[in-house]
Amino acid sequence: SLLILIFWPNKILKIPALLPAIFIGIFLAYFLPYFDMSLDTLASRFTYRLENSTGVGIPPSLPHLIWPFIQQDNAIDVRTLWNNIEPLLMAAASVAVLASIESLMCAKSMSQLSGKKHNTQNELYAQGFANIALPFFGGIPAAAAITRSIVLWKSDAETPIATILHAIILAISIWMAADFLSHIPMSTLAAILMMVAFNMIDVRKIGHVLREMPRADIIIFLTSALLTISFNMVVAITFGVIAASLSFVREVSRMTKVSNISHSKKHMTIDLPNAWDVYKISGSLFFAAADRIFNELEEILPQHRGLILYMDAVPVIDSGGYTALQNFIAKCLENNTVLIIADLQFQPLKVIAKAKMPPIPNKLKFASTLEQAIQDALVWEYK
């Protein structure tokens, strides 16, 4: 099977190598037992049970509608339904996340191979509606499969019609040729998967990652590859997403900085009063960065009568950042240091307004610009 997949002249014969590999595999499955050579097939590996019969291989019937939690008297078992909601919710959420990630990875891979763009929103809508309907026909959650997509693409499929035809032919095959297909050797399926996996490997992309990407990305890549080989893709994707998220949070938190611009000619047009300084915060104030930034500011509080926080470069502040800001304001009050917050952007201003943080006379003030904040500092110092 592997030799056929490698050397079959599909460009000359216009027949995908998969078809002769499967048919020759089934042919060998029929005749090798006559020579006392056993062959593991779908029929020898799998069994099924229908309402009135049992069998081996692929069941020769299409799925039918099954209502969940229905008893023999057609009454809904509410207690069983309620008892299963809690454990099912966690499982459903995990499967939904993993299936979405796998589908988006598949769409991205196919976009890179074909050069065509995909619609992420439509992909997830279609998958969501399909997975709502599937359980009523005895199905399990579905996701876009990279292996199947690669096989279709290698077979010169270019439009969604290929997927529709695939579904129709699969349904007809199960209905009319289940017994025949049950004799597909497991070794033939293994050869197909080996070729698909080989064709999915982008050696140039791997070389680019190992040579030019940051160290954290290289570690995540190598660990995900090892987990895929050792366990399965679900474990690898779960680790990869979590590790990449933590790495991203770490890098973004490092980008948030605070600097003293009291002597910057670019920003300062008026001299500040004695024991006053302007500190500019650059970057997002979220849970991973806010505590570090305000801890740095707390260390210099005893040296100042007043501080101006220039926040024109703070695009986002989350609940963690807001809490850290509240704690810093409390420290300023304890130290009897006047605080002026200048030039808040839209999102931080919205958060502070929603939280109803009021100005405190002679202690805390908000200014729309840095120039206004400096003028307010001079007025306070004059008083």
mmCIF file of all heavy atoms in Angstrom, residues 143-167:
data_model
loop_
_atom_site.group_PDB
_atom_site.id
_atom_site.type_symbol
_atom_site.label_atom_id
_atom_site.label_comp_id
_atom_site.label_asym_id
_atom_site.label_seq_id
_atom_site.Cartn_x
_atom_site.Cartn_y
_atom_site.Cartn_z
ATOM 1 N N ALA A 143 -15.069 17.762 13.995
ATOM 2 C CA ALA A 143 -14.227 18.922 13.720
ATOM 3 C C ALA A 143 -13.608 18.734 12.349
ATOM 4 O O ALA A 143 -13.576 17.617 11.811
ATOM 5 C CB ALA A 143 -13.142 19.073 14.785
ATOM 6 N N ALA A 144 -13.134 19.817 11.781
ATOM 7 C CA ALA A 144 -12.425 19.704 10.509
ATOM 8 C C ALA A 144 -11.165 18.873 10.727
ATOM 9 O O ALA A 144 -10.428 19.090 11.681
ATOM 10 C CB ALA A 144 -12.061 21.093 9.994
ATOM 11 N N ALA A 145 -10.937 17.901 9.855
ATOM 12 C CA ALA A 145 -9.799 16.986 9.997
ATOM 13 C C ALA A 145 -8.705 17.370 9.012
ATOM 14 O O ALA A 145 -8.949 17.467 7.807
ATOM 15 C CB ALA A 145 -10.243 15.552 9.762
ATOM 16 N N ILE A 146 -7.512 17.600 9.532
ATOM 17 C CA ILE A 146 -6.395 17.975 8.673
ATOM 18 C C ILE A 146 -6.072 16.847 7.696
ATOM 19 O O ILE A 146 -5.830 17.081 6.510
ATOM 20 C CB ILE A 146 -5.164 18.329 9.529
ATOM 21 C CG1 ILE A 146 -5.469 19.558 10.405
ATOM 22 C CG2 ILE A 146 -3.953 18.608 8.656
ATOM 23 C CD1 ILE A 146 -4.346 19.948 11.322
ATOM 24 N N THR A 147 -6.105 15.600 8.205
ATOM 25 C CA THR A 147 -5.743 14.465 7.349
ATOM 26 C C THR A 147 -6.699 14.342 6.166
ATOM 27 O O THR A 147 -6.265 14.217 5.019
ATOM 28 C CB THR A 147 -5.766 13.170 8.171
ATOM 29 O OG1 THR A 147 -7.020 13.062 8.857
ATOM 30 C CG2 THR A 147 -4.654 13.152 9.190
ATOM 31 N N ARG A 148 -8.002 14.397 6.417
ATOM 32 C CA ARG A 148 -8.989 14.261 5.344
ATOM 33 C C ARG A 148 -8.881 15.435 4.359
ATOM 34 O O ARG A 148 -9.002 15.260 3.148
ATOM 35 C CB ARG A 148 -10.392 14.178 5.936
ATOM 36 C CG ARG A 148 -11.471 13.959 4.904
ATOM 37 C CD ARG A 148 -12.808 13.618 5.532
ATOM 38 N NE ARG A 148 -13.298 14.682 6.381
ATOM 39 C CZ ARG A 148 -13.396 14.587 7.715
ATOM 40 N NH1 ARG A 148 -13.048 13.483 8.321
ATOM 41 N NH2 ARG A 148 -13.848 15.596 8.430
ATOM 42 N N SER A 149 -8.643 16.618 4.894
ATOM 43 C CA SER A 149 -8.530 17.794 4.029
ATOM 44 C C SER A 149 -7.303 17.697 3.130
ATOM 45 O O SER A 149 -7.353 18.055 1.943
ATOM 46 C CB SER A 149 -8.464 19.067 4.884
ATOM 47 O OG SER A 149 -9.618 19.194 5.682
ATOM 48 N N ILE A 150 -6.201 17.214 3.695
ATOM 49 C CA ILE A 150 -4.986 17.056 2.892
ATOM 50 C C ILE A 150 -5.211 16.027 1.787
ATOM 51 O O ILE A 150 -4.778 16.206 0.643
ATOM 52 C CB ILE A 150 -3.805 16.629 3.782
ATOM 53 C CG1 ILE A 150 -3.453 17.741 4.781
ATOM 54 C CG2 ILE A 150 -2.590 16.283 2.939
ATOM 55 C CD1 ILE A 150 -2.785 18.929 4.178
ATOM 56 N N VAL A 151 -5.901 14.929 2.132
ATOM 57 C CA VAL A 151 -6.179 13.901 1.132
ATOM 58 C C VAL A 151 -7.006 14.484 -0.020
ATOM 59 O O VAL A 151 -6.712 14.246 -1.200
ATOM 60 C CB VAL A 151 -6.918 12.704 1.775
ATOM 61 C CG1 VAL A 151 -7.457 11.760 0.709
ATOM 62 C CG2 VAL A 151 -5.991 11.954 2.716
ATOM 63 N N LEU A 152 -8.039 15.258 0.304
ATOM 64 C CA LEU A 152 -8.865 15.880 -0.739
ATOM 65 C C LEU A 152 -8.037 16.836 -1.592
ATOM 66 O O LEU A 152 -8.161 16.868 -2.819
ATOM 67 C CB LEU A 152 -10.045 16.615 -0.108
ATOM 68 C CG LEU A 152 -11.178 15.745 0.440
ATOM 69 C CD1 LEU A 152 -12.190 16.598 1.191
ATOM 70 C CD2 LEU A 152 -11.871 14.990 -0.681
ATOM 71 N N TRP A 153 -7.203 17.620 -0.941
ATOM 72 C CA TRP A 153 -6.383 18.587 -1.681
ATOM 73 C C TRP A 153 -5.391 17.872 -2.586
ATOM 74 O O TRP A 153 -5.175 18.272 -3.734
ATOM 75 C CB TRP A 153 -5.658 19.496 -0.697
ATOM 76 C CG TRP A 153 -4.851 20.564 -1.382
ATOM 77 C CD1 TRP A 153 -5.311 21.689 -1.998
ATOM 78 C CD2 TRP A 153 -3.431 20.582 -1.531
ATOM 79 N NE1 TRP A 153 -4.273 22.423 -2.517
ATOM 80 C CE2 TRP A 153 -3.098 21.771 -2.233
ATOM 81 C CE3 TRP A 153 -2.406 19.738 -1.134
ATOM 82 C CZ2 TRP A 153 -1.796 22.098 -2.543
ATOM 83 C CZ3 TRP A 153 -1.094 20.078 -1.447
ATOM 84 C CH2 TRP A 153 -0.796 21.241 -2.147
ATOM 85 N N LYS A 154 -4.780 16.808 -2.083
ATOM 86 C CA LYS A 154 -3.841 16.029 -2.903
ATOM 87 C C LYS A 154 -4.558 15.345 -4.072
ATOM 88 O O LYS A 154 -3.925 14.983 -5.060
ATOM 89 C CB LYS A 154 -3.140 14.980 -2.037
ATOM 90 C CG LYS A 154 -2.129 15.555 -1.055
ATOM 91 C CD LYS A 154 -0.900 16.064 -1.768
ATOM 92 C CE LYS A 154 0.139 16.568 -0.787
ATOM 93 N NZ LYS A 154 1.359 17.071 -1.476
ATOM 94 N N SER A 155 -5.868 15.169 -3.936
ATOM 95 C CA SER A 155 -6.655 14.561 -5.019
ATOM 96 C C SER A 155 -7.213 15.604 -5.969
ATOM 97 O O SER A 155 -8.171 15.349 -6.696
ATOM 98 C CB SER A 155 -7.794 13.724 -4.412
ATOM 99 O OG SER A 155 -7.288 12.728 -3.549
ATOM 100 N N ASP A 156 -6.640 16.821 -5.920
ATOM 101 C CA ASP A 156 -7.003 17.931 -6.823
ATOM 102 C C ASP A 156 -8.372 18.528 -6.529
ATOM 103 O O ASP A 156 -9.009 19.111 -7.417
ATOM 104 C CB ASP A 156 -6.947 17.488 -8.290
ATOM 105 C CG ASP A 156 -5.535 17.072 -8.707
ATOM 106 O OD1 ASP A 156 -4.584 17.665 -8.170
ATOM 107 O OD2 ASP A 156 -5.401 16.166 -9.537
ATOM 108 N N ALA A 157 -8.866 18.392 -5.319
ATOM 109 C CA ALA A 157 -10.120 19.053 -4.937
ATOM 110 C C ALA A 157 -9.849 20.537 -4.705
ATOM 111 O O ALA A 157 -8.865 20.903 -4.063
ATOM 112 C CB ALA A 157 -10.682 18.415 -3.679
ATOM 113 N N GLU A 158 -10.734 21.398 -5.214
ATOM 114 C CA GLU A 158 -10.505 22.839 -5.127
ATOM 115 C C GLU A 158 -11.676 23.610 -4.539
ATOM 116 O O GLU A 158 -11.525 24.776 -4.192
ATOM 117 C CB GLU A 158 -10.184 23.397 -6.518
ATOM 118 C CG GLU A 158 -8.882 22.854 -7.108
ATOM 119 C CD GLU A 158 -8.563 23.498 -8.450
ATOM 120 O OE1 GLU A 158 -9.380 24.322 -8.903
ATOM 121 O OE2 GLU A 158 -7.506 23.175 -9.022
ATOM 122 N N THR A 159 -12.858 23.016 -4.447
ATOM 123 C CA THR A 159 -14.035 23.749 -3.968
ATOM 124 C C THR A 159 -14.736 22.951 -2.870
ATOM 125 O O THR A 159 -14.456 21.762 -2.681
ATOM 126 C CB THR A 159 -15.027 24.000 -5.116
ATOM 127 O OG1 THR A 159 -15.604 22.744 -5.512
ATOM 128 C CG2 THR A 159 -14.329 24.636 -6.309
ATOM 129 N N PRO A 160 -15.681 23.574 -2.135
ATOM 130 C CA PRO A 160 -16.441 22.849 -1.105
ATOM 131 C C PRO A 160 -17.279 21.705 -1.651
ATOM 132 O O PRO A 160 -17.762 20.876 -0.873
ATOM 133 C CB PRO A 160 -17.334 23.939 -0.504
ATOM 134 C CG PRO A 160 -16.632 25.220 -0.787
ATOM 135 C CD PRO A 160 -15.959 25.024 -2.105
ATOM 136 N N ILE A 161 -17.469 21.656 -2.969
ATOM 137 C CA ILE A 161 -18.233 20.538 -3.550
ATOM 138 C C ILE A 161 -17.558 19.208 -3.219
ATOM 139 O O ILE A 161 -18.219 18.184 -3.062
ATOM 140 C CB ILE A 161 -18.360 20.726 -5.075
ATOM 141 C CG1 ILE A 161 -19.206 21.967 -5.372
ATOM 142 C CG2 ILE A 161 -18.975 19.502 -5.733
ATOM 143 C CD1 ILE A 161 -19.322 22.292 -6.841
ATOM 144 N N ALA A 162 -16.221 19.227 -3.094
ATOM 145 C CA ALA A 162 -15.490 18.000 -2.768
ATOM 146 C C ALA A 162 -15.941 17.431 -1.431
ATOM 147 O O ALA A 162 -16.112 16.214 -1.275
ATOM 148 C CB ALA A 162 -13.991 18.287 -2.747
ATOM 149 N N THR A 163 -16.154 18.300 -0.442
ATOM 150 C CA THR A 163 -16.596 17.843 0.873
ATOM 151 C C THR A 163 -18.018 17.292 0.813
ATOM 152 O O THR A 163 -18.332 16.281 1.456
ATOM 153 C CB THR A 163 -16.524 19.007 1.883
ATOM 154 O OG1 THR A 163 -15.213 19.548 1.870
ATOM 155 C CG2 THR A 163 -16.857 18.529 3.283
ATOM 156 N N ILE A 164 -18.881 17.958 0.031
ATOM 157 C CA ILE A 164 -20.261 17.477 -0.111
ATOM 158 C C ILE A 164 -20.283 16.110 -0.783
ATOM 159 O O ILE A 164 -20.975 15.186 -0.334
ATOM 160 C CB ILE A 164 -21.087 18.504 -0.915
ATOM 161 C CG1 ILE A 164 -21.153 19.832 -0.159
ATOM 162 C CG2 ILE A 164 -22.493 17.975 -1.179
ATOM 163 C CD1 ILE A 164 -21.780 20.964 -0.944
ATOM 164 N N LEU A 165 -19.507 15.967 -1.856
ATOM 165 C CA LEU A 165 -19.420 14.666 -2.532
ATOM 166 C C LEU A 165 -18.840 13.597 -1.620
ATOM 167 O O LEU A 165 -19.270 12.442 -1.636
ATOM 168 C CB LEU A 165 -18.571 14.796 -3.800
ATOM 169 C CG LEU A 165 -19.200 15.552 -4.973
ATOM 170 C CD1 LEU A 165 -18.199 15.704 -6.106
ATOM 171 C CD2 LEU A 165 -20.450 14.834 -5.459
ATOM 172 N N HIS A 166 -17.875 14.015 -0.816
ATOM 173 C CA HIS A 166 -17.279 13.075 0.135
ATOM 174 C C HIS A 166 -18.334 12.538 1.094
ATOM 175 O O HIS A 166 -18.407 11.326 1.357
ATOM 176 C CB HIS A 166 -16.156 13.776 0.905
ATOM 177 C CG HIS A 166 -15.687 13.040 2.110
ATOM 178 N ND1 HIS A 166 -15.813 13.548 3.381
ATOM 179 C CD2 HIS A 166 -15.124 11.826 2.255
ATOM 180 C CE1 HIS A 166 -15.327 12.679 4.247
ATOM 181 N NE2 HIS A 166 -14.908 11.632 3.599
ATOM 182 N N ALA A 167 -19.172 13.416 1.613
ATOM 183 C CA ALA A 167 -20.229 12.991 2.538
ATOM 184 C C ALA A 167 -21.237 12.076 1.852
ATOM 185 O O ALA A 167 -21.659 11.048 2.414
ATOM 186 C CB ALA A 167 -20.921 14.218 3.130
#
